[in-house]
Amino acid sequence: MFDAVVRRIATGEYLDGLPGSRSAALRPASPAAVAEAEELAGRSLPSLLRRLYLEVGNGGFGPGYGLLGLRGGHRMGGLDALVGLKGGVLVLCDWGCGITSELDLATGQVWGCDPNPAPEGVSGAFPQHMTIVDWFAKWVAGTLYQPWLVQDPTTGEWRGATDTECAEMLQEAFGPDGPED
């Protein structure tokens, strides 16, 4: 998967959310920044993520407004990846409007957080049923959707939207060609 991510980055389309920033030079994270993150988390980063930080860039590529960096790396909206790390959660990226993708380092599970539509008392966080490898594989394939909290039309429960629901909502909002970059 590492090579596939590097190939996608090499196309120059490595930052989906900020067209003007696609030409920004990527600078790898320092070994000290990775060690600090792992110490804060109390565990090692997944090997793919660790390698991407050390060999490719300290954030600034990937979905949304780019993979958030470790110390000294890519930030968005005042956030870096370390914001929730003492709880073992690495914030992967900011999609805008308060929506984030996060990685639970204890379980390897990627979570979405969409605080926007949920009524008071309902958590905007939900499992996305994928690992970091799955998350990057979907980004490389162009099939990764931002986390989207929806109310199930049958049960009334709040949950993460399926890929099919995301595709339908995007088509409804933007037409068959999707949103413009």
Side-chain angles (χ1 to χ4, degrees):
M1 179 49 48
F2 177 84
D3 292 337
V5 172
V6 170
R7 278 193 302 276
R8 170 104 191 248
I9 292 168
T11 67
E13 296 181 20
Y14 56 81
L15 189 55
D16 291 339
L18 297 174
S21 297
R22 291 181 187 196
S23 61
L26 295 175
R27 291 185 180 83
S30 70
V34 172
E36 176 192 24
E38 291 177 334
E39 184 177 324
L40 284 170
R43 64 186 68 244
S44 296
L45 297 178
S47 60
L48 173 63
L49 191 57
R50 186 176 211 282
R51 192 168 174 205
L52 288 168
Y53 277 129
L54 287 170
E55 298 178 36
V56 176
N58 194 356
F61 59 90
Y65 289 109
L67 182 71
L68 293 173
L70 306 176
R71 180 88 52 221
H74 178 68
R75 299 175 63 87
M76 195 53 158
L79 293 177
D80 64 18
L82 304 176
V83 72
L85 206 44
K86 288 187 180 174
V89 174
L90 184 84
V91 179
L92 295 170
C93 79
D94 180 347
W95 293 87
C97 297
I99 301 168
T100 58
S101 287
E102 303 171 0
L103 177 63
D104 182 334
L105 293 170
T107 65
Q109 173 72 48
V110 174
W111 284 70
C113 185
D114 179 3
N116 298 302
E120 190 171 326
V122 173
S123 173
F126 51 90
Q128 291 201 275
H129 309 292
M130 66 178 103
T131 66
I132 191 70
V133 173
D134 301 328
W135 192 75
F136 271 111
K138 287 181 136 205
W139 176 67
V140 166
T143 60
L144 181 66
Y145 296 103
Q146 78 174 43
W148 208 327
L149 188 68
V150 296
Q151 189 171 25
D152 189 287
T154 304
T155 67
E157 297 292 317
W158 289 90
R159 61 170 173 75
T162 65
D163 286 349
T164 301
E165 289 170 325
C166 286
E168 289 171 355
M169 288 185 286
L170 287 171
Q171 184 169 357
E172 185 177 306
F174 298 103
D177 295 330
E180 292 182 32
D181 282 340

